[in-house]
Amino acid sequence: MIVNTGAQIDHDCEVGDFAHLAPGSVLCGGVRIGSLALIGAGACVAPHISVGVASVVGVGAAVVDLVPDGVTVVGVPARPLFASETRERVDDAPASRRRVRTIEARE
Ligand SMILES: CC(C)(COP(=O)(O)OP(=O)(O)OC[C@H]1O[C@@H](n2cnc3c(N)ncnc32)[C@H](O)[C@@H]1OP(=O)(O)O)[C@@H](O)C(=O)NCCC(=O)NCCS
């Protein structure tokens, strides 16, 4: 695990192997971060939310709902952008209309 300057981890969090918490990122209580995930600089993950394996949370995002494995999310509140490995866009809608809870990771 990499914990950069100013990253904060509150109580009862679980962080997987090789996950990366960028500068100023915040994990509220009870958060679970999958292995290889990146929590971008200044991003915040709300209490008891899970971020999947190899998922990416963009700079400044506010994660308030589950992030499936392998999905990149951005924004406030965070919405899916694309699957991490394929970079296939989740849909053609503006980022502001996408919701985390409706999207499954793509192979
Ligand atoms: C989310 C992220 C991975 C996307 O990077 P990318 O794959 O290069 O994507 P792009 O720069 O091509 O951006 C794709 C779209 O997402 C938007 N976007 C990218 N990052 C965003 C963010 N953090 N918040 C909101 N929108 C974002 C872009 O504006 C672009 O929108 P458009 O298609 O409507 O023009 C990257 O912006 C990011 O936040 N990385 C984390 C960096 C970090 O904290 N590193 C740790 C350093 S120690």
Side-chain angles (χ1 to χ4, degrees):
M1 175 172 62
I2 299 171
V3 181
N4 286 133
T5 305
Q8 300 177 57
I9 305 174
D10 206 352
H11 63 91
D12 299 320
C13 290
E14 297 179 15
V15 181
D17 291 341
F18 307 110
H20 182 169
L21 308 183
S25 59
V26 175
L27 306 185
C28 296
V31 162
R32 293 184 176 186
I33 304 297
S35 59
L36 299 169
L38 167 63
I39 310 302
C44 180
V45 184
H48 306 293
I49 296 296
S50 294
V51 174
V53 172
S55 293
V56 175
V57 175
V59 168
V63 182
V64 295
D65 212 337
L66 169 74
V67 179
D69 293 347
V71 171
T72 296
V73 297
V74 298
V76 180
R79 292 168 167 80
L81 187 58
F82 41 57
S84 298
E85 294 182 2
T86 64
R87 291 184 55 84
E88 182 179 359
R89 293 291 288 252
V90 169
D91 59 34
D92 293 329
S96 61
R97 295 185 181 177
R98 299 176 199 134
R99 290 303 304 258
V100 171
R101 63 168 58 90
T102 64
I103 301 299
E104 298 295 331
R106 296 181 181 180
E107 295 298 325

